[in-house]
Amino acid sequence: MSVALPVNVQPWLKYTATTVGRDKIYRAVQYFSRFLAWYLLRQGATKETVARFNSLKKTLGLSRKLMRFGKPIEHLDGAVKALTVKDEFLRYCAVGKQLAYAGYLTFDGIIFIDGSGAYKFKNIKKYGEIASRFWLAGIVFGFISGLYKTRQIQIRKDAAVRGLKHSGESEKSHARTELKALAKEQHSVNKDLLQNGLDMLIPATGLGYLSLDDGAIGLIGTATAIMGAKSQWAKVNKA
């Protein structure tokens, strides 16, 4: 006799089987802990309560760095593959993004080694700043790529709209199909633009370019983690 759970857990198992999926969960909890520590401190919570959430934030942050250890190689490989992108501007953006993330995660690995206590670096603060610069650069490359894609989609959309003015039913049918495809493509680009636009505020604040407090950074990080989790869920479960 077979026994089955009352709910289908396969989608969840598929999601948590991926490193990216687990990382998004950890990231959401990490940044929400950062927000809670900020909020509770201002609400007069005890130092012990605030310290628990700060400890959770730091522990999850270190755990995520361990999960990403070795990822620079993946991004270097991505940079090589990006050289095949036909559009010259998008190719530069894709290669730049992958190289920037490779740099970011290389220094992120150094920060993990220092944070774990395996080896203490004298210039760890400087390494942290370099990591944030690479991280910001990678996000900016992605954001600029999204703006360029939006412009290209608009050009194609204008051409499709002109196609609707043709008298031939075949041309009109093709134009309508193209417009539907472009709307779907633009929706995906818009999500990336929003996520990158929010995410860039985090390293920009860490580098001193902006002065957002921990409450804002915590909520931004939580929001973009959920957005990333939804995208990963759809990817692994073909939703």
Side-chain angles (χ1 to χ4, degrees), residues 9-26 225-226 228-237:
V9 298
Q10 290 306 311
W12 172 256
L13 294 177
K14 288 181 181 179
Y15 176 79
T16 54
T18 64
T19 302
V20 174
R22 294 193 301 274
D23 179 68
K24 297 306 178 186
I25 296 173
Y26 295 167
I226 293 172
K230 289 178 65 177
S231 297
Q232 181 65 8
W233 181 279
K235 181 180 178 180
V236 298
N237 291 296

Side-chain angles (χ1 to χ4, degrees), residues 90 143-158 182 185-191 193:
L90 290 178
F143 189 78
I144 293 174
S145 176
L147 293 177
Y148 178 81
K149 288 178 181 178
T150 295
R151 176 56 183 162
Q152 295 303 104
I153 290 172
Q154 185 59 49
I155 293 173
R156 290 161 58 194
K157 183 179 178 181
D158 291 342
L182 289 173
E185 185 177 344
Q186 185 63 67
H187 178 68
S188 177
V189 171
N190 288 343
K191 287 196 298 184
L193 280 171

Side-chain angles (χ1 to χ4, degrees), residues 107-123:
F107 283 95
D108 194 60
I110 293 174
I111 296 170
F112 165 74
I113 293 172
D114 182 90
S116 68
Y119 183 85
K120 289 294 182 180
F121 295 88
K122 294 181 179 179
N123 299 321

Side-chain angles (χ1 to χ4, degrees), residues 3-235:
V3 179
L5 292 173
V7 294
N8 181 16
V9 298
Q10 290 306 311
W12 172 256
L13 294 177
K14 288 181 181 179
Y15 176 79
T16 54
T18 64
T19 302
V20 174
R22 294 193 301 274
D23 179 68
K24 297 306 178 186
I25 296 173
Y26 295 167
R27 188 180 197 266
V29 177
Q30 175 193 355
Y31 277 96
F32 194 64
S33 296
R34 183 170 180 172
F35 165 75
L36 284 177
W38 171 88
Y39 176 77
L40 292 172
L41 181 64
R42 280 150 186 76
Q43 294 299 310
T46 62
K47 291 183 179 179
E48 291 77 10
T49 300
V50 175
R52 281 199 294 269
F53 285 105
N54 276 326
S55 178
L56 177 60
K57 175 193 70 176
K58 292 178 181 178
T59 300
L60 287 172
L62 199 62
S63 298
R64 292 181 61 228
K65 293 181 190 303
L66 175 59
M67 288 172 60
R68 297 193 296 259
F69 208 83
K71 287 276 285 185
I73 298 174
E74 181 180 324
H75 285 285
L76 289 174
D77 181 62
V80 173
K81 292 178 179 177
L83 292 172
T84 62
V85 176
K86 293 182 179 180
D87 186 289
E88 186 176 9
F89 187 82
L90 290 178
R91 181 167 65 249
Y92 286 137
C93 286
V95 172
K97 176 182 175 179
Q98 294 294 336
L99 291 177
Y101 273 109
Y104 159 53
L105 293 171
T106 297
F107 283 95
D108 194 60
I110 293 174
I111 296 170
F112 165 74
I113 293 172
D114 182 90
S116 68
Y119 183 85
K120 289 294 182 180
F121 295 88
K122 294 181 179 179
N123 299 321
I124 192 61
K125 184 177 180 181
K126 180 180 179 181
Y127 294 152
E129 291 177 354
I130 295 173
S132 292
R133 291 181 190 280
F134 273 122
W135 183 17
L136 180 59
I139 297 172
V140 169
F141 272 120
F143 189 78
I144 293 174
S145 176
L147 293 177
Y148 178 81
K149 288 178 181 178
T150 295
R151 176 56 183 162
Q152 295 303 104
I153 290 172
Q154 185 59 49
I155 293 173
R156 290 161 58 194
K157 183 179 178 181
D158 291 342
V161 170
R162 288 195 296 269
L164 290 175
K165 299 178 181 179
H166 286 284
S167 58
E169 187 57 36
S170 177
E171 290 84 350
K172 289 182 179 180
S173 177
H174 176 75
R176 284 192 289 267
T177 301
E178 178 72 2
L179 286 171
K180 288 181 181 179
L182 289 173
K184 184 177 181 180
E185 185 177 344
Q186 185 63 67
H187 178 68
S188 177
V189 171
N190 288 343
K191 287 196 298 184
D192 288 340
L193 280 171
L194 177 59
Q195 189 170 343
N196 284 327
L198 290 172
D199 263 341
M200 71 172 65
L201 300 177
I202 300 175
T205 297
L207 290 167
Y209 300 149
L210 299 173
S211 56
L212 299 178
D213 57 37
D214 271 5
I217 293 298
L219 288 178
I220 290 170
T222 303
T224 54
I226 293 172
M227 292 171 66
K230 289 178 65 177
S231 297
Q232 181 65 8
W233 181 279
K235 181 180 178 180

